[in-house]
């Protein structure tokens, strides 16, 4: 469990340089305050009545924010920014925030954007770099995608990447990406440490699936739900306007069904949510298709949302992976569409099924206001951490506070929907679907 990790943040050395940001150390003077290394947020908030054991370092997380004393001399800094992996709403917002905070708050004038992910560091690709300043990045938040370009893979070419970082004379590197990116970030940081390089590495976690451990939300998630709700509204309209209409929507979620669950809660129009964390049978007296048929007989329309990672234990026939190391999944949306059509065709029941896969539309969308605010604050916090010499860490939100989290801790596991937790309980309340659509559980209870 993540709570067993030491949440101590690695630092490059003593901080002997006064920050150029004019702030206060006194409460009550109406001037924004510096953050100290003695300000923490509790990781696990649940407590029991009675005497409590003393807090350990594994129970608390260091607060993010500007420090009064920093490690780097701003005029000497050359910062690098790289975006890796699949697209996600908010990437450009983070690039913009990091660039502007470095430039305006600290006076850093050398900022380089590494093009096309970790491959941008590798000499065989010859992608070059983009010089970044406020004029270049001011309007990029209005666009989807990433201004720097992205790619999967390349992160395991650790020695070559660190060679390039040395040749560029970078003092700090901001890695914006998901689980694979941050695994690569940790290896890069460890290689820099072996070479005794004083280079700060700060990650900004990116995954629309919202499946990073420890942190409560990753950027892009709110926008993904926002866009998915629009798609569900269209699917519901199609289903409700046809004879025995069925709207089937596939959303992202390789190992976690957060987008699917939140979409159902936000739309109020979903009748079945199928996610990787909750197993279900298709056939049988307690299977999904039986319950779908009952719904059609009673209400004559249905909307289904399925996460891309659902049923993969049954559908994946090989163990191929993509360039980021993620397993290549079967298309569960197409599979379910065909099974539903076959089921009702065999029963000679007329249905009109519309299947929608909006994945790439969602991923490439510009950030909505909620995510844009979040990205702005993540980027600022990342810069403050790097200027203070913090390294081998990411910025995350825990209990509504921005904190520093060791990369090793955040990549230790994946966050998933708890089938016995309140999110899934509320999702079941919204859809009225059975708690379990698994035949063996029903058999056990009826014996």
């Amino acid at each position: 469990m993540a709570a067993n990790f030491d949440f101590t943040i690695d630092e490059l050395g003593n901080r002997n340089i006064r920050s150029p940001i004019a702030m206060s150390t006194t409460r009550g003077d109406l001037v924004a305050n510096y953050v100290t290394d003695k300000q923490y947020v509790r990781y696990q908030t649940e407590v029991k009545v009675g005497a409590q054991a003393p807090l350990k370092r594994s129970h608390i997380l260091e607060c993010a924010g500007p420090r009064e004393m920093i490690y780097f001399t701003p005029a000497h800094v050359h910062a690098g920014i790289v975006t890796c992996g699949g697209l996600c709403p908010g990437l450009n917002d983070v690039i913009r925030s990091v660039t502007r905070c470095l430039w305006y708050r600290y006076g850093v004038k050398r900022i380089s954007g590494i093009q096309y992910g970790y491959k941008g560091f590798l000499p065989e690709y010859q992608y070059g770099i983009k010089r970044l300043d406020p004029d270049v990045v001011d309007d990029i938040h209005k666009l989807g995608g990433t201004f720097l370009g992205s790619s999967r893979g390349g992160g395991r070419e650790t020695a070559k990447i660190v060679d390039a970082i040395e040749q560029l004379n970078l003092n700090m590197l901001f890695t914006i990406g998901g689980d694979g990116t941050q695994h690569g970030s940790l290896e890069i940081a460890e290689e820099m440490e072996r070479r005794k390089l004083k280079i700060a590495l700060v990650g900004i976690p990116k995954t629309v699936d919202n499946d990073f451990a420890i942190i409560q939300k990753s950027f892009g998630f709110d926008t993904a739900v926002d866009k998915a709700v629009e798609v569900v509204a269209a699917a519901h309209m199609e289903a409700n306007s046809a004879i025995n209409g069925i709207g089937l929507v596939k959303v992202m979620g390789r190992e976690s069904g957060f987008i699917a669950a939140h979409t159902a809660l936000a739309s109020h129009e979903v009748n079945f949510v199928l996610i990787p964390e909750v197993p279900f049978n298709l056939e049988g007296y307690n299977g999904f298709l039986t319950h779908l048929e009952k719904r059609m007989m009673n209400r004559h329309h249905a909307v289904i949302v399925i996460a891309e990672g659902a049923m993969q234990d049954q559908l994946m026939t090989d163990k191929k992976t993509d360039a980021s190391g993620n397993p290549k999944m079967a298309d569960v949306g197409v599979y379910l569409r065909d099974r539903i059509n076959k089921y009702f065709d065999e029963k000679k029941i007329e249905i009109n099924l519309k299947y929608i896969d909006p994945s790439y539309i969602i991923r490439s969308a510009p950030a909505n206001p909620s995510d844009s605010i979040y990205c702005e604050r993540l980027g600022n916090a990342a810069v403050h951490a790097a200027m203070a010499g913090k390294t081998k860490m990411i910025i995350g939100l825990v209990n509504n506070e921005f904190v520093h989290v060791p990369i090793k801790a955040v990549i230790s596991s994946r966050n998933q929907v708890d089938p016995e937790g309140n999110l899934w309980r509320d999702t079941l309340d919204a859809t009225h679907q059975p708690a379990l659509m698994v035949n063996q559980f029903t058999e056990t209870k009826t014996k």
Side-chain angles (χ1 to χ4, degrees):
M1 292 293 292
N4 294 324
F5 278 95
D6 184 347
F7 287 137
T8 303
I9 299 298
D10 287 7
E11 299 195 24
L12 297 176
N14 295 327
R15 304 200 294 267
N16 300 314
I17 299 164
R18 187 165 296 280
S19 172
I21 302 176
M23 302 183 79
S24 174
T25 58
T26 304
R27 297 294 299 178
D29 60 3
L30 303 183
V31 177
N33 292 328
Y34 294 110
V35 176
T36 74
D37 286 344
K38 293 183 178 180
Q39 290 178 241
Y40 299 101
V41 169
R42 185 168 183 152
Y43 170 50
Q44 293 176 318
T45 57
E46 291 185 3
V47 295
K48 296 180 180 179
V49 175
Q52 300 294 313
L55 285 175
K56 299 178 182 178
R57 192 62 183 87
S58 58
H59 299 158
I60 54 177
L61 294 151
E62 187 177 279
C63 287
R67 268 53 181 176
E68 183 177 9
M69 304 300 292
I70 59 178
Y71 179 78
F72 288 105
T73 302
H76 297 168
V77 168
H78 182 191
I81 306 172
V82 63
T83 56
C84 306
L87 296 183
C88 175
L91 283 165
N92 285 332
D93 298 70
V94 175
I95 296 168
R96 181 181 187 275
S97 174
V98 170
T99 300
R100 287 170 60 88
C101 188
L102 284 166
W103 188 281
Y104 287 124
R105 300 296 272 163
Y106 288 98
V108 173
K109 304 303 182 186
R110 290 192 300 161
I111 309 168
S112 295
I114 312 302
Q115 296 191 81
Y116 301 109
Y118 285 135
K119 290 181 179 178
F121 286 111
L122 304 179
E124 57 264 35
Y125 291 100
Q126 295 291 310
Y127 287 135
I129 61 172
K130 285 189 175 181
R131 296 294 179 185
L132 303 179
D133 60 45
D135 289 339
V136 171
V137 303
D138 266 355
D139 292 324
I140 63 174
H141 63 293
K142 300 174 184 178
L143 307 172
T146 164
F147 171 74
L148 296 177
S150 188
S151 69
R152 296 190 184 276
R156 296 304 172 93
E157 299 278 1
T158 309
K160 286 185 179 180
I161 291 172
V162 177
D163 287 343
I165 289 170
E166 283 195 88
Q167 291 160 9
L168 288 169
N169 291 318
L170 293 181
N171 306 103
M172 57 185 65
L173 176 64
F174 300 93
T175 58
I176 309 168
D179 184 75
T181 301
Q182 301 311 332
H183 270 91
S185 295
L186 182 58
E187 293 177 7
I188 292 166
E190 289 173 342
E191 175 63 17
M192 293 191 298
E193 189 175 51
R194 280 190 290 272
R195 298 189 190 188
K196 301 188 184 320
L197 301 174
K198 297 293 188 179
I199 302 171
L201 191 147
V202 176
I204 301 169
K206 172 226 73 175
T207 167
V208 291
D209 291 354
N210 200 35
D211 60 356
F212 267 109
I214 301 172
I215 65 174
Q216 70 188 60
K217 185 177 72 169
S218 50
F219 76 82
F221 176 71
D222 283 349
T223 305
V225 172
D226 192 5
K227 295 299 180 183
V229 167
E230 294 178 7
V231 174
V232 165
H236 179 259
M237 188 61 65
E238 288 283 349
N240 203 31
S241 301
I243 299 171
N244 289 335
I246 298 176
L248 173 60
V249 179
K250 185 182 78 172
V251 296
M252 291 161 289
R254 285 177 166 270
E255 298 179 39
S256 308
F258 288 105
I259 292 178
H262 281 257
T263 297
L265 288 169
S267 69
H268 310 293
E269 293 171 337
V270 179
N271 308 115
F272 296 93
V273 176
L274 307 174
I275 62 174
E277 297 92 331
V278 181
F280 62 94
N281 294 130
L282 280 180
E283 307 283 356
Y285 56 87
N286 194 40
F288 163 72
L289 291 172
T290 298
H291 289 289
L292 177 60
E293 182 183 355
K294 291 177 182 177
R295 163 78 191 183
M296 298 306 294
M297 295 303 99
N298 292 330
R299 302 287 293 170
H300 304 292
H301 72 280
V303 176
I304 306 156
V305 172
I306 186 166
E308 62 181 322
M311 297 185 66
Q312 293 301 324
D313 57 333
Q314 304 170 50
L315 299 182
M316 288 176 62
T317 57
D318 55 43
K319 299 296 182 182
K320 293 182 180 179
T321 59
D322 61 22
S324 296
N326 298 311
K328 288 187 174 181
M329 294 184 169
D331 192 331
V332 70
V334 170
Y335 177 79
L336 185 60
R337 177 199 65 189
D338 294 344
R339 287 294 299 272
I340 293 172
N341 279 324
K342 180 181 178 183
Y343 177 85
F344 284 99
D345 189 48
E346 289 175 349
K347 286 183 169 281
K348 301 189 183 315
I349 298 173
E350 179 186 0
I351 64 167
N352 287 276
L353 189 152
K354 298 295 189 295
Y355 171 56
I356 308 173
D357 178 0
S359 300
Y360 293 102
I361 296 172
I362 291 173
R363 290 187 352 160
S364 60
N368 68 8
S370 174
D371 268 323
S372 190
I373 293 167
Y374 189 33
C375 291
E376 176 77 11
R377 300 186 71 189
L378 282 171
N380 290 341
V383 171
H384 297 318
M387 291 301 299
K390 310 281 184 180
T391 191
K392 295 166 71 172
M393 54 149 284
I394 69 147
I395 297 295
L397 192 68
V398 175
N399 299 324
N400 294 318
E401 296 286 347
F402 289 90
V403 295
H404 301 157
V405 189
I407 293 176
K408 184 179 290 187
V410 84
I411 63 174
S412 63
S413 62
R414 294 289 181 94
N415 192 22
Q416 292 187 303
V417 174
D418 180 1
E420 299 178 14
N422 56 25
L423 173 62
W424 188 242
R425 181 192 66 222
D426 291 342
T427 303
L428 295 178
D429 287 345
T431 62
H432 302 295
Q433 72 188 67
L436 285 172
M437 293 182 284
V438 180
N439 297 317
Q440 63 184 22
F441 283 89
T442 301
E443 290 172 358
T444 300
K445 290 179 180 179
T446 55
K447 286 181 180 178

